[in-house]
Amino acid sequence: METPLSIIAVFTAPELGFTGNTAAVLFTDAPLPEKEMRRLASDLNQPATTFLWPHTDAQTFNVRWFAPDAEIGLCGHGSLAAIAYLHNHHKIDSIKLKYNAGEITGTANNDGSCSMQLNAIAVTGELKPSPILVAGLGISVKEYFTTNNKHIAVVGSEKELRDMQPDFAKLRESEVFGYSVTAPGDEVDFVSRTLVPHVQQLEDHATGSSHAALAPFWSNRLGKTKMNALQLSKRGGKFECEVDGNTVTLTGQYTLIAEGQLFI
């Protein structure tokens, strides 16, 4: 079987030298067996491989995301890559993506960017930072909050966050899946880094799911519904964020890296 393949980087910002996060997008007429999805994601070795197939109408699609070593429950950058792919290849500008836990809607804009609407991820509690977390980050943690996705660790400044050198072996001593480490931005509203010590990648490049939690978190603190944010990974990511009740809209630029046909 032959199927279209694109590799797309999203949340890019060429003016800042930010190359964003990459995802492979595979479009098929029907879902592939899960074992085959896992194998292909491992072979393609992208931060995420997005599998798309038609749902009930011309603008709705089923989606699953896989990292090279595991399925991803919610993948924001893989969703934005899917929206860019469907815009480029199927000329669809208003899109719905159905996944196991809900729905993501998206639009392609006229300026080379795409937007997507996700459910806001709420803070579920506040804890004292654990010794493992503080030692693993290697910098002081001012506040620490739990969510049903990655937990939020607030640090003192953008410089501290940028210079942070995590000890992932130490962080793996905790069962916490991942952390959105964040601080006020010097020239934007907030900055962050996403650490996932229990999976192959360790640090994510530009993370939509993190911003589904960080955008409402900082919106409450800053009293703003529209914010700009940077993810300070090695590749770097730029996000435009808007919060409307329980909905977060994330907008980012995208770049097509490669496309062709994959033989399955």
Side-chain angles (χ1 to χ4, degrees):
M1 184 175 94
E2 188 175 345
T3 188
L5 166 68
S6 290
I7 298 177
I8 300 170
V10 297
F11 300 118
T12 59
E15 72 279 7
L16 299 175
F18 284 9
T19 52
N21 207 354
T22 59
V25 182
L26 289 174
F27 186 87
T28 55
D29 293 332
L32 298 174
E34 182 174 315
K35 183 178 179 180
E36 186 74 354
M37 292 186 192
R38 291 183 182 275
R39 182 189 70 80
L40 288 168
S42 177
D43 287 348
L44 291 168
N45 200 34
Q46 294 296 308
T49 296
T50 300
F51 294 91
L52 285 173
W53 64 96
H55 187 64
T56 54
D57 60 66
Q59 294 181 313
T60 304
F61 301 86
N62 298 294
V63 63
R64 288 179 76 174
W65 311 277
F66 288 82
D69 54 344
E71 185 168 8
I72 305 170
L74 171 62
C75 184
H77 93 273
S79 299
L80 204 71
I83 292 162
Y85 172 87
L86 291 166
H87 169 67
N88 288 340
H89 288 270
H90 294 260
K91 307 306 177 188
I92 304 172
D93 292 335
S94 182
I95 294 156
K96 292 182 181 179
L97 301 177
K98 298 277 190 179
Y99 68 106
N100 286 340
E103 178 180 287
I104 294 170
T105 60
T107 54
N109 306 315
N110 294 324
D111 60 355
S113 71
C114 291
S115 301
M116 62 180 175
Q117 291 76 45
L118 305 90
N119 291 330
I121 297 174
V123 166
T124 56
E126 182 175 4
L127 299 174
K128 181 180 179 181
S130 70
I132 291 173
L133 175 61
V134 174
L137 297 184
I139 58 176
S140 177
V141 178
K142 290 183 170 295
E143 298 172 279
Y144 181 56
F145 301 90
T146 59
T147 81
N148 291 325
N149 195 270
K150 290 170 282 290
H151 294 182
I152 296 172
V154 182
V155 300
S157 70
E158 179 173 322
K159 184 179 188 306
E160 285 182 274
L161 182 65
R162 191 184 296 273
D163 294 342
M164 180 179 69
Q165 297 184 28
D167 180 342
F168 289 102
K170 189 67 178 178
L171 292 173
R172 277 194 292 276
E173 293 179 14
S174 167
E175 294 181 356
V176 175
F177 168 73
Y179 305 92
S180 298
V181 189
T182 188
D186 293 341
E187 297 183 2
V188 295
D189 294 292
F190 65 91
V191 292
S192 68
R193 289 171 66 179
T194 293
L195 310 181
V196 281
H198 295 284
V199 299
Q200 175 179 307
Q201 186 156 344
L202 298 181
E203 180 166 358
D204 202 19
H205 304 305
T207 317
S209 57
S210 291
H211 285 78
L214 291 171
F217 176 83
W218 283 107
S219 176
N220 288 334
R221 296 208 156 191
L222 300 175
K224 301 173 71 172
T225 58
K226 294 183 179 181
M227 294 160 291
N228 292 314
L230 301 178
Q231 189 160 331
L232 302 178
S233 63
K234 288 183 178 179
R235 291 179 62 93
K238 181 180 179 182
F239 298 74
E240 295 177 20
C241 310
E242 184 171 358
V243 179
D244 182 8
N246 291 323
T247 301
V248 174
T249 300
L250 301 177
T251 299
Q253 299 286 327
Y254 69 90
T255 302
L256 177 64
I257 295 176
E259 61 181 4
Q261 299 293 315
L262 186 69
F263 297 93
I264 301 174

